Amino acid sequence: MPDTAQTPGGMRVKRPIGVKLISIITILLLVSLGVITTLVSVMVSQDVQVTAEDNNFTVNKRSAAEAEIILNMVRSSSLVLLDTLNAAGSGAAISRQAAAFFFERNQDIAAIAVTRQGGADASLSGFSTLLINERFFQSNEIDASLAAGFIEAREGEVSRARGEELVLLNAAPDFGVPVLALFYPWQGDGEQEAVVIFFSAESLTETFGTGANATFMINGEGDILVHADNDLVRAGVNVGGQAFIRSLRESREDSMQTLFTGEDGVRRFGAFTRISMANAAVITTIEYDVVFEGVAATTRRNIYLTAAVLLTAILFIWFFSKSISTPLKNLATAAGRIQEGEFEIQFESKSRDEIGALTESFAKMSSALITFGRFTNREIAVRAMRGEIKRGGSLKYATIFFSDIRGFTQISENFTSEFQEEASNHIVEWLNDYFNQMVDCVEKSQSGVVDKFIGDAVMAHWGTAY
């Protein structure tokens, strides 16, 4: 929309009314809706962040509690089996039945091994007990000998378990399926031994669930033990070197939450809770953008709504401004025609507002100019309206003409005797006809001007108007 316009009278308008109205309304709408949108976004974002942090922390605490329950159940049920076997003797039939019954009831446990300590170097020297859940290995198509090989390759963890330390390792890289290995101390036959339990991590994975909140478990070395992405578990990924994990592990808090930026550049809310067993920890994260996705969507909808309201307002104001500018343009056109000496103009306005009042005033002014033009020269009226006639007059060479009707008194008496009471009306009509003809004669001549009517006389002059 141009910021300049030209009226029919030739006057240039630098800032049309429509442009002003649209500019004012646009500024008001943008400022008001912008402030409202910003305030709502800020306040909603704060509430959403608090809710998201509380929910993330709650999910983390619940997952950690369930993980600890599962680990304790695996450990306690295995200890009960070992105590039963120790009391019954390894060669007794009841021991074999107890083991079979145990694996039938605990199908997620793949194997239980009790290591036998060697000589003075305290190295690993075989197993005093090795219980295998054949069904587990067959259903997962795994070689049962992997359990023994896994333990023999980890004498360090076995020694730590004999030293009263619980160790939790990821065995998935060796087994090919999500399997955890729990090392813990056990007193058997009066000797300090180490027990290793292999069990499926599927139950923990199902407990952690999937969704916007990603929960996983790591051990003290930062190895991923349980994760929704089994590829990470089977690959034996270690996240201990990540700044976020390192800061959590170095913290003295048992549970905490923070906002961090991962190595992939994504911002996340991260919560962690230590598990009392094996120095493991459960970590729950949720992406920052996911938390505020609803707020961003609402902000976008508010922006679209603002644009729609603004467009509607502009269209409405544009048509509304036409109801103001069009009558004003008509008045400007009329003013230009009056300025050129055309006084007889028809004004039409149906509005009852200030524009209608202004149009009515123009109509009255036009009527007054028409009346004024009848009693004086139109050219003089136009020049007077334009302000071209100087006050105080000026010296000119001019011709002045006076003319009246011979025998007007007798003529008036004849009208009275003939028309009686209607005589005055007939005399006026007769005089108007006479004056019109005299005015036409004078104005048709070059620079002739009728100055006034004096009764039945006409005063005219030449050379005074220019």
Side-chain angles (χ1 to χ4, degrees), residues 63 66-74 106-109 136 178-180 199-209 217 225-227 230:
S63 299
E66 292 176 351
E68 190 156 2
I69 289 174
I70 292 175
L71 292 176
N72 281 322
M73 287 180 60
V74 169
N106 300 273
Q107 297 182 11
D108 287 342
I109 297 179
F136 179 88
V179 173
L180 299 181
F199 61 97
S200 173
E202 292 292 342
S203 58
L204 285 171
T205 304
E206 293 174 358
T207 299
F208 290 171
M217 185 168 68
L225 303 176
V226 181
H227 199 286
N230 286 330

Side-chain angles (χ1 to χ4, degrees), residues 434-450:
Y434 165 73
F435 287 145
N436 286 334
Q437 294 183 42
M438 291 296 292
V439 169
D440 288 340
C441 290
V442 173
E443 291 186 347
K444 286 180 179 179
S445 63
Q446 186 176 1
S447 69
V449 175
V450 175

Side-chain angles (χ1 to χ4, degrees), residues 129-191:
T129 302
L130 181 59
L131 304 175
I132 300 296
N133 185 353
E134 297 292 344
R135 179 181 298 180
F136 179 88
F137 285 92
Q138 291 175 1
S139 62
N140 290 281
E141 298 180 353
I142 305 172
D143 186 358
S145 63
L146 290 175
F150 182 88
I151 298 173
E152 291 172 353
R154 288 164 176 79
E155 290 191 19
E157 285 74 12
V158 172
S159 298
R160 289 166 58 188
R162 287 173 178 159
E164 301 293 325
E165 181 181 353
L166 272 69
V167 181
L168 189 60
L169 298 181
N170 177 22
D174 296 77
F175 282 69
V177 294
V179 173
L180 299 181
L182 177 62
F183 295 73
Y184 66 89
W186 183 64
Q187 288 284 343
D189 295 331
E191 295 183 1

